[in-house]
Amino acid sequence: MNITLEKYHGLGNDYLIFDPNKNDLKLTKENIRLICNRNFGVGSDGLLVGPILGQDKLEVKILNPDGSEAEISGNGVRIFGKYLKDAGYVQKNRFIINTLSGQQTLQYLNEEGTKIKVSMGKLSFYSDEIPVTGPRREVLNETMMFGSIPYRVTCVNIGNPHCVIWLNDISKELVCRIGKYSESAEYFPEKINTQLLKVVDRTNIEIEIYERGAGYTLASGTSGCAAAGAAYRMGLTDPKMYVHMPGGVLEVEIEEDGNVLMTGEVGYVGRFSLSHELTEQLKALQ
Ligand SMILES: N[C@@H](CCC[C@H](N)C(=O)O)C(=O)O
């Protein structure tokens, strides 16, 4: 039987859904890379595997296009929420899903389920929780060297690790140049997602993103939450703001206890029934 995948995007951050209840393939690093490859496969910024059904909880596994597993994805979680509605797995308006980073509560804000609010959990700036090497401390505005150039960096965990660099001018070229070094820098034992942050005013920020295991992306939910959290923590913004990314805008609100609410849109691209040829190649890589 051929493999069928559904494709969605969150503000241009595109994911394929592999529903294990409908497909029979053992996923490996090698076949994940081929599925996500934009030339030889279907192409995406990642793969969402689920729902894995159990004890009233819906679980999703989040895989980067290099085959590594991520603890969480903000856009991925919203996309998965939309898929659960489209495929008839959930009827409620508000429900919980499980990721490697813990539980997220999702709420549909419209009938179609294209606008979703997610309670993402709490931000942590502590080095051992991000993780960042060295003595336990909050990693706020520290100097770090990426490719022999010093940058002022604030690091944060929102289920997955992020480093935020506050600058006046940001661009795709610059984040790619820095991200190439920061992703695997010695400071970060579990690697890192990188954001360049530009503060527009107290309720608007702009970011450029270089994701761990994926490279440059047009948007990222957790990156938006991390950059918003860092901007607020540095006193640059109010707790509620719009995060502008090349692919679109997210609304992020940091609650008093540090919990983050993220609201954004999801788009459906279509269903991909893979060719016999590609299915056989994926099976050979099991
Ligand atoms: N696109 C994502 C983040 C995906 C995971 C990330 N690459 C990681 O390895 O932590 C998002 O929308 O948050």
Side-chain angles (χ1 to χ4, degrees), residues 13 15 45 62 64-65 68-78 120 160-162 192-193 211-214 217 219-224 262:
N13 187 205
Y15 277 88
D45 289 330
I62 298 154
N64 285 320
S68 61
E69 183 170 2
E71 303 86 343
I72 174 84
S73 160
N75 288 327
V77 160
R78 291 200 322 284
M120 294 287 290
N160 58 352
H162 295 266
I192 207 118
N193 296 288
E211 279 189 34
R212 178 181 65 169
T217 57
S220 159
T222 52
S223 295
M262 172 198 68

Side-chain angles (χ1 to χ4, degrees), residues 131-132 144 146 155 163 182-183 185-192:
V132 177
M144 291 185 183
F146 300 134
C155 294
C163 76
S182 54
E183 180 182 8
E186 59 192 8
Y187 311 105
F188 310 125
E190 290 176 22
K191 300 194 174 178
I192 207 118

Side-chain angles (χ1 to χ4, degrees), residues 33-213:
R33 283 182 189 153
L34 179 53
I35 291 171
C36 297
N37 186 289
R38 294 195 185 275
N39 302 106
F40 295 96
V42 182
S44 68
D45 289 330
L47 191 65
L48 303 173
V49 182
I52 302 160
L53 306 165
Q55 293 180 354
D56 222 19
K57 286 177 196 134
L58 300 164
E59 193 180 320
V60 61
K61 246 171 117 71
I62 298 154
L63 301 163
N64 285 320
D66 71 350
S68 61
E69 183 170 2
E71 303 86 343
I72 174 84
S73 160
N75 288 327
V77 160
R78 291 200 322 284
I79 286 169
F80 187 63
K82 169 75 173 128
Y83 173 69
L84 291 175
K85 188 178 182 76
D86 292 348
Y89 285 108
V90 293
Q91 280 78 37
K92 292 186 204 159
N93 213 36
R94 211 183 149 91
F95 58 97
I96 290 172
I97 65 167
N98 267 16
T99 63
L100 200 54
S101 80
Q103 296 194 332
Q104 278 76 41
T105 306
L106 278 74
Q107 189 188 351
Y108 299 121
L109 297 185
N110 59 9
E111 187 70 23
E112 307 77 39
T114 52
K115 189 167 185 187
I116 300 178
K117 183 182 233 178
V118 186
S119 179
M120 294 287 290
K122 291 188 185 181
L123 297 161
S124 171
F125 295 91
Y126 280 101
S127 53
D128 55 334
E129 290 171 9
I130 296 167
V132 177
T133 53
R136 185 170 201 266
R137 67 205 185 276
E138 287 195 301
V139 185
L140 304 172
N141 216 17
E142 289 189 6
T143 300
M144 291 185 183
M145 305 293 288
F146 300 134
S148 309
I149 300 175
Y151 294 96
R152 303 293 288 175
V153 179
T154 293
C155 294
V156 54
N157 185 295
I158 177 70
N160 58 352
H162 295 266
C163 76
V164 183
I165 303 171
W166 175 33
L167 297 169
N168 290 327
D169 286 310
I170 64 173
S171 66
K172 174 179 178 177
E173 290 67 34
L174 187 58
V175 81
C176 289
R177 216 180 309 149
I178 297 173
K180 205 168 65 186
Y181 294 102
S182 54
E183 180 182 8
S184 306
E186 59 192 8
Y187 311 105
F188 310 125
E190 290 176 22
K191 300 194 174 178
I192 207 118
N193 296 288
T194 303
Q195 297 86 39
L196 303 188
L197 161 70
K198 179 178 172 179
V199 178
V200 178
D201 58 35
R202 292 203 63 86
T203 51
N204 290 280
I205 61 172
E206 285 175 16
I207 60 169
E208 287 282 357
I209 305 140
Y210 191 92
E211 279 189 34
R212 178 181 65 169

